[in-house]
């Protein structure tokens, strides 16, 4: 979420990356994508993107799917679970043709992130403004909810009274063994929710972040017991050692911004390449993608800050099979393309298709 000085997360904003795809070929080529947009920023709805000989082009929008700030896709049923990020937060469930077949309230305000459990039986959603997490039990055959959602309220605050007067859940992720992690920007914490058959059992603090840092998203290493926590307010990435009990211990901190930069900026999206050798972070304000080399022990070394090709890079997608990184530049309303060069470095960005109010990109 962006600070008030930078916008109230443009009053509503976060990123979406839909989950795994129906076929390996489709996942590898990445020839078709979706872009979610914010209506209040001129967004026309859910926009299809298609790759061609001259790059990516935007097609006619589905105007019925508005303010989709994040969502996930089931690998079992193919259903998409898209968020409607508004004060009265909503969840829409769609089939492959984007026909709405279910959904309802997220029991909170401004839902901004979602996750499916590995077995496809549980859906979790982070409600930013209300500082809560909503949980649905899903029918594994149909993918539809089997009952009403359950709400988990976070507690806590931070020293930045303009941004941290209350909890603000910003990311959720399943860790296995019935454990759900939730990153909370307002509480400066990663919560660990122990899930049980009838809801949530215990909730503990898995990691207490630096006061005022405003943690936003978490990315796990594909092979090592390491995770990377990006902090929006501090513009940092903390290297975390994952413990067997679901808690984390800090091993180091690096800045997402280049030395000497003193302007306003807010870190946003974070992702690793498939090999687990490079980590990427978007900087809104500095308008760059920071690239880090990942050492054999999980440590980070900055190697590049590449221009994002627009203004306010919220989400990006690594399309390694195509040798490119696509960036959703929210405020400039374009999807920029950066070629991925040797050793994971990024080339010069091209403007790409115009998509007003773009907030997420997804396969």
């Amino acid at each position: 979420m962006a600070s008030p000085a930078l916008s109230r997360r443009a009053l509503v904003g976060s990123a979406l990356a839909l989950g795994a795809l129906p076929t390996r070929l489709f996942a590898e080529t990445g020839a078709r994508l979706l872009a979610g947009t914010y209506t209040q920023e001129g967004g026309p709805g859910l926009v299809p993107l298609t790759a061609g000989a001259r790059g990516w082009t935007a097609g006619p929008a589905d105007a019925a799917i508005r303010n989709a700030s994040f969502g996930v896709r089931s690998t079992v049923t193919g259903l998409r679970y898209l968020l409607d990020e508004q004060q009265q937060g909503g969840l829409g469930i769609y089939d492959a043709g984007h026909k709405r077949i279910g959904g309802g309230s997220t029991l909170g305000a401004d839902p901004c992130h979602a996750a499916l459990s590995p077995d496809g039986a549980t859906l979790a959603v982070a409600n930013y403004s209300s500082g809560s997490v909503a949980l649905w039990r899903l029918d594994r055959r149909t993918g539809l909810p089997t009952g009403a959602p359950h709400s988990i309220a976070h507690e806590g605050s931070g020293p930045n009274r303009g941004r941290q007067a209350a909890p603000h859940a910003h990311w959720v992720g399943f860790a296995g063994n019935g454990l759900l992690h939730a990153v909370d920007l307002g509480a400066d914490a990663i919560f660990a929710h122990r899930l049980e058959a009838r809801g949530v059992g215990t909730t503990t603090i898995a990691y207490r972040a630096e006061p005022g840092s405003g943690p936003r998203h978490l990315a796990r290493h594909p092979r090592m017991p390491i995770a990377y926590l990006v902090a929006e307010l501090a513009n940092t990435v903390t290297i975390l050692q994952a413990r067997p009990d679901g808690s984390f211990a800090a091993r180091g901190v690096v800045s997402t911004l280049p030395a000497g930069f003193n302007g306003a900026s807010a870190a946003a999206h974070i992702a690793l390449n498939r090999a687990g050798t490079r980590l990427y972070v978007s900087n809104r304000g500095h308008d760059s993608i920071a690239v880090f080399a990942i050492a054999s022990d999980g440590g980070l070394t900055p190697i590049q800050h590449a221009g994002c090709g627009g203004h306010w890079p919220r989400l990006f997608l690594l399309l390694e099979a195509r040798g490119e990184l696509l960036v959703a530049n929210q405020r400039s309303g374009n999807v920029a393309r950066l070629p991925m060069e040797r050793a994971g470095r990024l080339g010069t960005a091209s403007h790409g298709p115009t998509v007003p109010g773009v907030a997420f990109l997804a396969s």
Side-chain angles (χ1 to χ4, degrees):
M1 183 121 170
S3 68
L6 300 168
S7 91
R8 179 213 175 251
R9 66 197 313 245
L11 274 175
V12 276
S14 188
L16 181 152
L18 294 183
L21 307 173
T23 68
R24 182 174 181 82
L25 176 63
F26 189 76
E28 286 298 310
T29 59
R32 298 189 66 185
L33 301 172
L34 296 174
T37 64
Y38 289 120
T39 301
Q40 69 174 25
E41 298 179 24
L46 193 67
V47 179
L49 301 175
T50 303
R54 297 185 178 182
W56 292 89
T57 58
D62 186 336
I65 303 179
R66 299 153 57 91
N67 301 312
S69 69
F70 209 91
V72 287
R73 181 176 181 172
S74 170
T75 60
V76 177
T77 65
L79 296 183
R80 298 183 188 271
Y81 304 85
L82 299 179
L83 304 181
D84 182 356
E85 188 177 345
Q86 300 188 74
Q87 183 62 30
Q88 300 296 324
L91 169 73
I93 304 174
Y94 301 88
D95 65 14
H98 298 161
K99 176 184 177 182
R100 185 182 174 104
I101 60 174
S105 171
T106 64
L107 306 181
D110 298 325
C112 63
H113 195 264
L116 275 170
S117 61
D119 62 2
T122 308
L123 173 71
V125 168
N127 290 306
Y128 179 90
S129 292
S130 54
S132 62
V133 172
L135 288 172
W136 288 260
R137 296 297 184 182
L138 304 176
D139 184 301
R140 297 188 190 185
R141 181 180 59 85
T142 66
L144 296 175
T146 59
H150 178 79
S151 181
I152 310 169
H154 286 180
E155 296 182 356
S157 60
N160 185 329
R161 304 312 296 169
R163 296 296 312 282
Q164 298 181 307
H168 294 304
H170 216 315
W171 181 93
V172 285
F174 290 90
N177 298 319
L179 193 66
L180 176 74
H181 284 128
V183 176
D184 196 295
L185 184 148
D188 281 329
I190 302 175
F191 291 95
H193 303 298
R194 183 67 62 180
L195 306 185
E196 298 178 349
R198 296 185 178 181
V200 177
T202 59
T203 292
T204 57
I205 301 294
Y207 177 70
R208 181 69 70 183
E210 185 70 21
S213 61
R216 178 183 174 96
H217 280 192
L218 187 75
R220 296 187 174 97
H221 194 277
R223 294 183 306 279
M224 295 186 285
I226 298 291
Y228 301 94
L229 181 68
V230 63
E232 178 176 322
L233 304 184
N235 295 294
T236 58
V237 174
T238 300
I239 305 159
L240 299 175
Q241 181 75 39
R243 294 166 168 162
D245 64 356
S247 66
F248 299 97
R251 287 184 39 190
V253 181
V254 295
S255 175
T256 68
L257 298 170
F261 177 78
N262 296 312
S265 197
H269 190 52
I270 184 170
L272 287 78
N273 65 353
R274 288 195 302 263
T277 58
R278 294 291 181 268
L279 182 139
Y280 302 82
V281 178
S282 60
N283 290 308
R284 297 170 299 172
H286 185 255
D287 290 341
S288 65
I289 305 297
V291 185
F292 299 87
I294 301 176
S296 59
D297 64 354
L300 298 177
T301 300
I303 60 175
Q304 184 187 19
H305 286 85
C308 69
H311 181 37
W312 214 248
R314 182 176 298 280
L315 180 94
F316 56 85
L317 286 183
L318 295 173
L319 301 179
E320 295 183 62
R322 295 181 55 85
E324 60 188 14
L325 181 148
L326 299 185
V327 185
N329 289 309
Q330 181 187 343
R331 293 189 180 175
S332 56
N334 70 298
V335 179
R337 175 189 180 276
L338 284 74
M340 296 189 70
E341 301 177 346
R342 296 183 62 181
R345 293 179 64 88
L346 301 174
T348 301
S350 57
H351 184 273
T354 296
V355 182
V358 60
F360 79 85
L361 300 170
S363 302

